[in-house]
RNA sequence: GGGCGUGUAGCUCAGUUGGUUAGAGCGCGUCCCUGAUAAGGACGAGGUCCCUGGUUCGAGUCCAGGCCCGCCCA
């Protein structure tokens, strides 16, 4: 007789092969049709809220793995908060204005861009942004991210544009907005000022020249040896074209300078650089006359080498002895340090270069020439009149435009700023930073340092695609009109027609019958510049969190990459502190960058870029989500084929564990078949205790945003606690017992409960798989109501599971004994003494302490070792047993188990053969089979 | 060049106030099983704790300097 049919073998239709790439779209479709997100929000309406405010990605191009990582992280947080009992709405957003989009639209327009109207260009930009929003939205949804995708926030929505104007006007009315000439990064190709965040550094070959600046005054009073000599300061620069704007030569107040005789001239340069410089000049015939401190040079005058102008000798701390001559060419209109020095000495930020990089009349003979081509002319002229000491080319790191990748320049222009000093914005912001919970904690240091040292916030951009700086200035005297009614009029028209209104109507439309407070004039001119896009996204707390009914401000959490300490976290902070006197967030969490398997950043040129679409196509979004959870995001996040393969392996283990658990409760009705806790075995209670422990740890990890702990705990639980221990041991009870056997039902009660909890614990991460398994667990059909979805449940409650420390300790000891025994079993297996562990009888030599411990546990130990027999024996020694490695007073021997192998349960037992009807079965199995046959 | 951060097995992560022989899981290798089967079980081999100094009876852990990588800035 074949006894296989009398066993309760596992059975399920839940597939071992996940087929994620095909199944995921199906679940997504269903969730969308069921309006899962919306229904979930409704169901949590009266619960406390947890507001995670989305930082808007830029609406240009496909999403990359970094954005995918960020969105999945947010999704995991929001889903886990929901499972923990919070209402956690998610309003995704997009950053829509700005240079990159305008630049791409310009490219698409080609020659037409010169003819198209501003409004026409803006319309094209809007369309362009819409296109990419649509694309990105689909890509984000594909990741399984739940949110209000039908009503995201867009910084180009009319209401949002009005909010931007409103917040700008608040700054304006509070006198925080100032206009001043200041050198800013300027791209002459894009013809716009660039924010610091908009320049990137690449290697660039520049001219490196040394130039004589003849000292006009006799320096005899400072250094006696120089009396009556022709003295020159030797400066070094890599930007010859800024020489027409030179206003000063800077010396370090602490450096020692040398006066070097070269022919009939005396050159001044830093003493420690003399040798190096003259080597470079190729001059060996020189003599150091004397050395001196430069402090005496302050406020003396040099002559400009080729313009009829003086150049002041000044002192500055940033002068370096690393390179150059220690005498620094200073052009306050073309450099940040230079500008500050200029302020100190009352020098003009001269900048004789227009927006296209063309010299103006102020540059004398170079008028009409183009930067940087003019370098060559200037160098030649210097050479011709003997001012040039040396000319080389050097390659160095130089700022480039983030968009067009061309070198940029520093150029002084009229710009609008939010002053960091007015209304104590800087101090208030620093204070606000201290009241925010930064994760990781060093985030506070980082942003604090940045805010502490940052310059005024340059708000203006000379472009078309953005929200205008809504300033009206008096035509006569230039005074800025600050009038609440006018502001309101602007805001209202933006609500109706968007920021386009500014370009549709003239100044009078907004100014009404306003009068200039300074000169009484009634004519006004509109500002043409638009706002920095960081201002757009920076006011999202106002445009979104304060406006949308389901949200709130300040938000509980902002969550972005660590680059946003300078970006969105900061612009949001300043926008909020400047208008609300508080931070827009209670907590800020940052994650590292996605890098390749070696920790190097991804770049197209290196060819190590991994696209989210590749991961989805090859493994499925679920694997991408699991990968997100597996990495500790506080550091950089690595990704590679190897890593994804391992994540995929982990997924298979998790899935198989779930499948096996499902397959063993296929005949279990938890309404009618459940067994109470006191009817369970110690092993069952141990498993429940481990589950309660898992629950506690995982929920805490979710609340602490430590998802890699969730991943590791769960993986260990699946692979070790369940798969290799509990479920493996349970097989005999589940398979060989009668269907309704109390012990079997107890095991099923435990399995079902743990399985349900496992699914709930992992649903925030494994959203697809837990949904699928949940449907099998509850026997749900495809058309089941949305409320039966796993997402409407909660994290498991394990309060009723008793956790006794001594009990855990006893089990720890039992498992230790088990591992000692399996080692010896393995030796026996290698010696071909046994195959299956059930072939073995384990004989232990135990000391008194162990004997006492084991007195009531012999059978449990046999069970968890999955051997046919286990007993103690006196007199074991080295000839017939081995001493346990990690347990004192224990000897272990493995022998062939006595008796015959039962054909049904495979346990070797002396009772096999005793039953006449079933001579191939052990007593237990014979009984079971008889009762089954009788029932039939 | 400056600021912030990071560095523990092939991979992902633990490692308490300094304290035995640095851990786990996976992967890898070998074996067993064929009643979880494109599964399951067992055992085993893997580490200069980035480097160099220092403090200490004792350092993965504390201190100093350096290197690598990342972000931000110049």
């Amino acid at each position: 007789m074949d006894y296989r049919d009398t066993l309760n073998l596992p059975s399920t239709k839940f597939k071992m092969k996940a087929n994620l790439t095909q199944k995921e779209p199906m679940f997504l479709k269903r969730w969308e049709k069921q309006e899962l997100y919306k229904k979930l929000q409704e169901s949590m309406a009266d619960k406390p809220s947890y507001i995670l405010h989305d930082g808007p990605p830029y609406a240009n191009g496909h999403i990359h793995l970094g954005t995918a990582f960020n969105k999945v992280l947010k999704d995991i947080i929001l889903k886990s908060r929901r499972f923990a009992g919070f209402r956690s709405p998610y309003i995704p957003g997009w950053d829509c204005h700005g240079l990159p989009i305008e630049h791409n639209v310009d490219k698409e327009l080609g020659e037409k861009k010169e003819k198209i109207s501003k409004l026409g260009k803006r319309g094209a930009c809007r369309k362009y942004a819409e296109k990419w929003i649509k694309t990105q939205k689909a890509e984000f949804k594909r990741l399984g991210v739940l949110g209000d995708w039908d009503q995201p926030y867009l910084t180009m929505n009319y209401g949002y544009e009005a909010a931007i104007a409103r917040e700008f006007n608040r700054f304006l009315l509070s006198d925080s907005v100032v206009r001043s000439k200041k050198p800013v990064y300027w791209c002459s190709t894009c013809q716009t000022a660039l924010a610091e965040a908009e320049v990137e550094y690449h290697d660039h070959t520049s001219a490196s020249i040394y130039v004589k600046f003849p000292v006009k005054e006799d320096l005899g009073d400072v250094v006696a040896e120089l009396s009556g000599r022709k003295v020159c300061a030797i400066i070094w620069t890599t930007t010859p074209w800024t020489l027409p704007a030179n206003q000063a030569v800077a010396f370090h107040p602490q450096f020692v300078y040398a006066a070097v005789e070269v022919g009939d001239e005396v050159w001044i340069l830093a003493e420690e650089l003399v040798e190096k410089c003259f080597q470079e000049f190729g001059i060996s015939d020189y003599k150091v006359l004397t050395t001196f401190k430069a402090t005496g040079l302050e406020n003396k005058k040099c002559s400009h080498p080729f313009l009829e102008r003086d150049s002041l000798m000044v002192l500055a701390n940033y002068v370096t002895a690393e390179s150059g001559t220690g005498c620094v060419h200073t052009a306050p209109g073309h450099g940040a340090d230079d500008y500050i020095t200029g302020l100190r000495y009352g020098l003009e930020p001269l900048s004789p270069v227009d927006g296209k990089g063309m010299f103006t009349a102020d540059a004398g003979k170079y008028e009409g020439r183009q930067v940087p081509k003019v370098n060559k002319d200037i160098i030649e002229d210097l050479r011709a009149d003997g001012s040039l000491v040396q000319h080389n080319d050097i390659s160095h790191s130089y700022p480039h435009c983030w968009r067009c990748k061309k070198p940029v320049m520093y150029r002084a222009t009229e710009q609008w700023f939010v002053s960091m000093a007015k209304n104590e914005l800087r101090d208030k912001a620093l204070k606000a930073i201290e009241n925010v919970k930064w994760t990781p904690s060093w985030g506070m240091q980082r942003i604090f340092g940045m805010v502490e040292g940052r310059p005024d916030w340059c708000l203006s951009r000379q472009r078309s695609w953005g929200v205008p700086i809504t300033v009206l200035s008096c035509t006569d005297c230039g005074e800025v009109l600050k009038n609440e009614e006018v502001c309101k009029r602007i805001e209202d028209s933006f609500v109706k027609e968007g920021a386009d209104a500014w370009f549709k109507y003239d100044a009078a439309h907004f100014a009404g019958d306003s009068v200039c407070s300074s000169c009484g004039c009634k004519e006004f001119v509109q500002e043409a510049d638009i706002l920095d896009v960081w201002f757009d996204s920076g006011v999202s707390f106002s445009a979104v969190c304060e406006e949308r009914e389901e949200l709130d401000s300040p938000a509980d959490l902002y969550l972005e990459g660590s680059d946003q300490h300078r970006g969105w976290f900061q612009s949001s902070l300043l926008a909020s502190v400047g208008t609300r006197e508080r931070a827009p967030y209670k907590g800020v969490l940052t994650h590292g960058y996605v890098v390749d398997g070696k920790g190097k950043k991804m770049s197209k040129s290196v060819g190590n870029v991994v696209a989210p679409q590749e991961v989805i196509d090859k493994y499925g979004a679920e694997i991408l989500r699991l990968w997100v959870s597996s990495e500790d995001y506080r550091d950089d996040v690595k990704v590679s084929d190897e890593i994804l393969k391992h994540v995929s392996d982990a997924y298979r283990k998790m899935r198989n564990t779930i499948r096996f658990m499902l397959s063993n409760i296929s005949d279990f009705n938890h309404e009618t078949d459940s067994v109470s806790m006191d009817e369970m075995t110690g092993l069952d209670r141990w498993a429940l205790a481990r589950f309660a422990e898992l629950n506690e740890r995982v929920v805490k990890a979710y609340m602490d945003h430590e998802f890699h702990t969730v991943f590791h705990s769960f993986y260990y639980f699946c692979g070790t606690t369940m798969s290799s221990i509990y479920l493996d041991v349970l097989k005999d009870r589940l398979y060989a017992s009668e269907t309704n056997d109390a012990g079997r039902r107890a095991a099923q009660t435990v399995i079902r409960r743990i399985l349900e909890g496992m699914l709930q614990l992992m649903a925030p991460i494994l959203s697809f798989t837990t949904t699928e398994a949940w449907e099998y667990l509850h026997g749900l059909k495809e058309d089941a109501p949305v409320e039966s979805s796993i997402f409407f449940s909660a994290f498991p409650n394990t309060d009723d599971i008793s956790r006794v420390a001594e009990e855990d300790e006893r089990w720890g000891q039992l498992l230790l004994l088990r591992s000692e025994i399996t080692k010896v079993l393995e030796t026996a297996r290698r010696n071909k003494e046994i195959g299956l562990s059930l072939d073995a009888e384990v004989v232990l030599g135990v000391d008194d302490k162990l004997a006492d411990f084991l007195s009531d546990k012999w059978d449990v130990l046999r069970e968890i070792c999955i051997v046919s027999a286990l007993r103690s024996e006196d007199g074991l020694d080295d000839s017939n047993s081995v001493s346990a490695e990690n347990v004192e007073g224990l000897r272990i021997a493995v022998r062939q188990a006595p008796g015959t192998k039962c054909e049904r349960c495979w346990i070797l037992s002396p009772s096999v053969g005793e039953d006449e009807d079933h001579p191939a079965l052990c007593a237990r199995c014979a009984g079971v089979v008889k009762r089954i046959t009788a029932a039939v």
Side-chain angles (χ1 to χ4, degrees):
Chain A
M1 176 170 182
D2 185 2
Y3 292 105
R4 201 174 188 279
D5 295 340
T6 69
L7 293 167
N8 288 300
L9 292 178
S11 158
T12 179
K13 285 188 173 145
F14 184 83
K15 293 278 191 301
M16 185 178 279
K17 191 169 177 343
N19 228 331
L20 291 168
T21 29
Q22 283 161 45
K23 272 190 219 156
E24 284 168 358
M26 193 191 83
F27 284 115
L28 290 169
K29 219 169 157 186
R30 193 186 307 168
W31 289 340
E32 181 139 3
K33 197 175 152 206
Q34 292 175 324
E35 300 185 295
L36 177 60
Y37 170 77
K38 192 176 152 215
K39 296 283 168 57
L40 277 172
Q41 292 309 307
E42 286 166 9
S43 76
M44 303 302 277
D46 56 346
K47 297 291 194 304
S49 67
Y50 185 83
I51 309 296
L52 189 166
H53 178 45
D54 192 36
Y58 197 66
N60 182 22
H62 292 275
I63 67 168
H64 55 259
L65 208 47
T67 24
F69 185 90
N70 174 266
K71 276 285 196 285
V72 169
L73 223 42
K74 286 170 179 164
D75 189 51
I76 292 172
I77 288 176
L78 291 168
K79 281 173 177 164
S80 59
R81 289 286 162 172
R82 212 224 74 92
F83 271 90
F86 291 86
R87 181 176 66 81
S88 50
Y90 182 51
I91 313 299
W94 273 278
D95 199 3
C96 307
H97 298 124
L99 191 65
I101 287 176
E102 186 173 344
H103 190 97
N104 286 354
V105 168
D106 278 350
K107 269 200 262 177
E108 284 179 7
L109 287 171
E111 286 177 8
K112 273 193 286 179
K113 81 169 179 181
E114 305 299 337
K115 292 177 206 149
I116 197 167
S117 70
K118 203 160 207 173
L119 285 169
K121 167 92 79 73
R122 289 171 59 86
C125 290
R126 183 173 288 273
K127 270 210 163 120
Y128 182 94
E130 275 166 358
K131 180 185 96 181
W132 283 112
I133 289 165
K134 197 177 162 203
T135 301
Q136 292 189 0
K137 189 192 286 186
E139 290 168 341
F140 285 139
K141 283 164 94 169
R142 179 63 186 80
L143 298 168
V145 176
L146 290 183
D148 194 352
W149 295 108
D150 293 334
Q151 295 174 75
Y153 78 84
L154 311 182
T155 59
M156 65 180 184
N157 282 346
Y158 291 175
Y160 198 115
E161 289 185 331
I164 294 169
R166 183 182 70 223
E167 297 306 318
F168 171 79
N169 287 337
R170 285 201 204 207
F171 274 104
L172 186 73
L173 292 176
S174 69
D175 292 326
S176 285
V177 176
V178 297
R179 179 168 44 180
S180 68
K181 204 169 179 190
K182 210 172 178 181
V184 291
Y185 282 114
W186 184 274
C187 178
S188 49
T189 309
C190 302
Q191 291 190 47
T192 185
L194 296 172
E196 295 179 44
E198 290 169 335
V199 300
E200 42 189 54
Y201 286 78
H202 300 295
D203 276 348
H204 179 72
T205 302
S206 299
S208 159
I209 60 169
Y210 294 84
V211 181
K212 295 181 206 166
F213 271 64
V215 179
K216 263 181 116 173
E217 301 166 57
D218 191 285
L219 296 180
D221 58 329
V222 183
V223 186
E225 289 88 337
L226 297 181
S227 181
R229 302 295 303 255
K230 187 183 172 199
V231 181
C232 298
I234 308 298
I235 65 94
W236 174 66
T237 183
T238 55
T239 50
W241 62 269
T242 61
L243 285 172
N246 174 281
Q247 297 276 53
V249 177
F251 300 84
H252 198 287
Q254 260 91 50
F255 287 3
V256 174
Y257 284 84
V260 185
E261 187 171 54
V262 183
D264 61 347
E265 292 177 347
V266 177
W267 295 0
I268 295 174
L269 51 171
E271 186 192 19
E272 60 178 298
L273 290 163
V274 167
E275 203 176 326
K276 193 176 141 198
C277 285
F278 277 88
Q279 202 167 5
E280 193 172 343
F281 301 162
I283 297 175
S284 53
D285 187 17
Y286 67 91
K287 188 174 130 202
V288 176
L289 293 177
T290 185
T291 61
F292 58 95
K293 284 266 186 128
T295 39
L297 300 179
E298 188 174 17
N299 290 322
K300 303 263 181 196
K301 287 178 180 127
C302 290
S303 302
H304 192 283
F306 53 79
L307 292 174
E308 291 300 317
R309 194 199 300 148
D310 291 343
S311 184
L312 197 66
M313 296 165 93
V314 300
L315 300 177
N317 284 315
Y318 57 80
V319 174
T320 167
E322 306 264 317
S323 57
T325 61
C327 311
V328 176
H329 153 54
T330 299
H334 289 299
D337 286 337
D338 309 44
Y339 174 71
I340 291 162
T341 303
L343 285 181
R344 280 215 329 272
Y345 287 91
L347 304 170
E348 275 292 298
L350 195 68
S351 182
V353 178
D354 72 11
K356 290 176 181 166
M358 200 83 85
F359 273 113
T360 64
D362 290 340
K365 64 182 278 203
Y366 300 109
E367 179 180 2
R369 303 291 327 239
Q370 184 80 27
V371 172
K373 286 180 192 139
V374 74
N375 277 343
K376 222 174 139 188
D377 300 348
I378 291 176
I379 293 167
E380 280 317 309
D381 290 349
L382 288 169
R383 193 192 305 281
D385 79 354
S387 298
L388 186 72
V389 176
Q390 178 70 23
H391 167 217
N392 294 316
D393 282 334
I394 61 156
S395 175
H396 61 154
S397 181
Y398 190 84
H400 288 67
C401 174
W402 73 332
R403 197 56 231 162
C404 70
K405 311 292 179 193
K406 299 254 170 63
V408 301
M409 60 174 159
Y410 242 122
R411 171 175 177 261
T413 53
E414 287 281 341
Q415 302 289 342
W416 293 94
F417 295 86
V418 166
S419 164
M420 292 300 293
K422 289 207 171 180
N423 296 315
E424 291 148 37
L425 178 57
R426 192 190 309 274
D427 292 344
K428 285 175 187 167
L430 292 174
K431 208 160 227 166
I433 285 170
E434 290 176 346
N435 294 323
V436 173
K437 183 175 169 8
W438 300 88
T439 314
S441 53
W442 49 259
M444 184 190 285
Q445 290 276 90
R446 193 170 154 92
I447 193 167
F448 194 96
M450 287 174 172
V451 171
E452 202 174 25
R454 71 160 293 154
D456 287 348
W457 183 359
C458 179
L459 289 179
S460 40
R461 293 299 120 98
Q462 291 68 44
R463 302 297 294 191
S464 303
W465 180 227
V467 174
I469 290 179
T470 49
V471 169
L472 296 169
S473 310
C474 170
T475 316
D476 283 354
C477 71
E479 179 76 10
V480 172
L481 182 60
K482 292 176 187 171
N483 177 314
E484 278 184 44
E485 273 177 45
V486 173
C487 289
K488 187 78 174 52
R489 206 146 40 224
I490 294 168
E491 289 156 33
D492 288 346
S493 72
F494 279 22
V495 169
K496 276 192 219 119
E497 307 179 63
D500 282 351
W502 188 254
F503 306 100
K504 268 188 215 165
Y505 306 108
D506 59 15
H509 177 84
F510 300 107
D513 50 9
S514 300
V515 176
C516 174
S517 61
S518 176
C519 71
C521 168
K522 290 183 174 177
E523 302 255 318
F524 297 92
V525 58
Q526 279 165 289
E527 175 61 44
D529 287 1
I530 58 166
L531 281 162
D532 175 16
V533 284
W534 286 112
F535 193 86
D536 292 20
S537 55
V539 301
S540 64
F541 71 90
S542 162
V544 182
C545 295
E546 290 178 0
E547 299 270 325
R548 301 275 296 237
E549 200 167 339
E550 62 267 57
L551 299 181
D552 208 354
S553 185
D556 290 291
L557 192 68
Y558 277 34
L559 160 54
E560 308 296 332
S562 59
D563 56 330
Q564 298 302 332
H565 282 119
R566 180 159 290 272
W568 191 52
F569 298 151
Q570 199 177 136
S571 62
S572 297
L573 178 76
L574 296 178
S576 180
V577 169
T579 54
R580 312 290 196 278
E581 305 225 338
R582 67 172 188 207
Y585 35 66
K586 296 176 196 162
V588 172
L589 189 150
T590 50
H591 55 79
Y593 263 54
V594 177
V595 294
D596 74 7
K598 290 174 192 136
K600 296 261 177 78
K601 68 173 161 200
M602 291 187 174
S603 79
K604 273 184 198 159
S605 55
V606 179
N608 59 351
V609 178
V610 180
Q613 198 57 48
E614 282 173 53
V615 181
I616 291 169
D617 289 347
K618 191 168 174 189
Y619 298 101
E622 192 84 315
I623 302 302
L624 193 151
R625 298 178 64 92
L626 191 58
W627 163 72
V628 170
S629 79
S630 75
E631 298 266 341
D632 184 349
Y633 58 76
R634 287 168 293 203
D635 196 358
D636 288 324
V637 176
K638 289 200 252 182
V639 70
S640 65
D641 278 340
E642 186 190 17
I643 290 168
L644 288 170
K645 173 82 171 34
H646 284 146
V647 173
S648 176
D649 286 345
Y651 172 80
R652 285 215 323 271
K653 185 73 192 185
M654 294 172 185
R655 184 178 176 90
N656 261 323
T657 306
I658 289 166
R659 176 175 183 268
F660 188 57
M661 292 173 88
L662 274 173
S663 72
N664 276 296
I665 53 173
S666 59
D667 62 0
F668 179 76
N669 178 335
H670 99 107
E671 302 285 333
T672 55
D673 300 330
S674 284
V675 164
S676 70
M677 213 115 42
D678 46 324
E679 289 175 85
M680 293 174 180
T681 68
L683 180 67
D684 295 331
R685 284 196 293 271
W686 170 81
L688 284 173
R690 298 287 73 72
F691 165 60
E693 190 177 60
L694 174 78
N695 183 37
E696 192 181 311
R697 189 178 304 147
V698 164
V699 172
K700 182 177 188 308
Y702 272 125
M703 294 306 108
D704 294 343
H705 309 305
E706 295 191 2
F707 311 117
H708 64 288
T709 302
V710 175
F711 172 87
H712 279 281
S713 306
F714 186 73
Y715 195 13
Y716 183 85
F717 188 79
C718 283
T720 303
T721 312
M722 285 294 111
S723 197
S724 81
I725 303 176
Y726 187 60
L727 298 173
D728 203 32
V729 170
L730 236 42
K731 284 174 187 169
D732 180 74
R733 220 199 299 172
L734 289 165
Y735 299 176
S737 306
E738 276 177 271
T739 306
N740 269 315
D741 176 83
R744 181 167 185 273
R745 288 310 192 194
Q748 289 181 311
T749 306
V750 173
I751 290 174
R752 190 195 176 280
R753 174 159 185 193
I754 293 180
L755 174 60
E756 180 168 61
M758 280 164 61
L759 297 180
Q760 288 160 334
L761 286 174
M762 283 310 276
I765 297 168
L766 298 177
S767 298
F768 296 101
T769 305
T770 54
T771 294
E772 184 188 3
W774 185 262
E775 289 171 11
Y776 279 86
L777 179 64
H778 292 278
L780 301 175
K781 300 252 170 62
E782 256 183 59
D783 56 357
V786 64
E787 290 77 12
S788 57
S789 153
I790 188 170
F791 291 109
F792 281 80
S793 69
F795 283 140
N797 183 331
T798 50
D799 293 347
D800 60 319
I801 296 172
S802 71
R803 298 279 310 283
V804 185
E806 296 85 58
E807 193 73 10
D808 287 355
E809 210 173 300
R810 276 195 285 276
W811 275 95
Q813 179 69 9
L814 271 173
L815 289 168
L816 181 62
L817 293 173
R818 176 184 185 260
S819 85
E820 290 299 321
I821 290 168
T822 50
K823 270 182 223 170
V824 186
L825 285 171
E826 190 59 26
T827 313
R829 186 170 292 130
R830 276 170 199 273
N831 294 338
K832 303 287 175 201
E833 288 161 19
I834 60 165
L836 220 59
S837 61
L838 278 177
D839 297 342
E841 173 189 47
V842 173
V843 181
L844 302 181
V846 294
D847 63 9
D848 290 349
K849 204 177 146 201
L850 262 179
D852 187 47
F853 172 74
L854 280 171
S855 63
D856 58 344
K857 299 181 184 65
W858 288 99
D859 202 50
V860 180
L861 187 57
R862 185 207 62 76
E863 188 189 8
I864 65 174
C865 291
I866 320 184
V867 292
S868 284
L870 184 137
R871 62 186 171 82
S872 71
E873 191 174 292
D874 291 337
L876 291 181
D877 58 33
D878 283 346
S879 70
N880 55 18
S881 65
V882 295
S883 179
E885 277 175 51
N886 301 309
V887 179
E888 242 177 275
L890 176 67
R891 300 200 69 89
I892 304 167
V894 168
R895 301 173 189 164
Q896 178 70 34
T900 313
K901 183 172 179 174
C902 168
E903 270 188 21
R904 184 166 176 274
C905 71
W906 297 346
I907 293 173
L908 278 77
S909 163
S911 70
V912 174
E914 284 173 4
D915 190 284
E916 287 178 11
D917 297 336
H918 301 285
L921 300 188
C922 66
R924 185 259 316 247
C925 286
V928 171
V929 170
K930 277 183 179 169
R931 284 191 292 279
I932 293 172
T933 354
V936 174

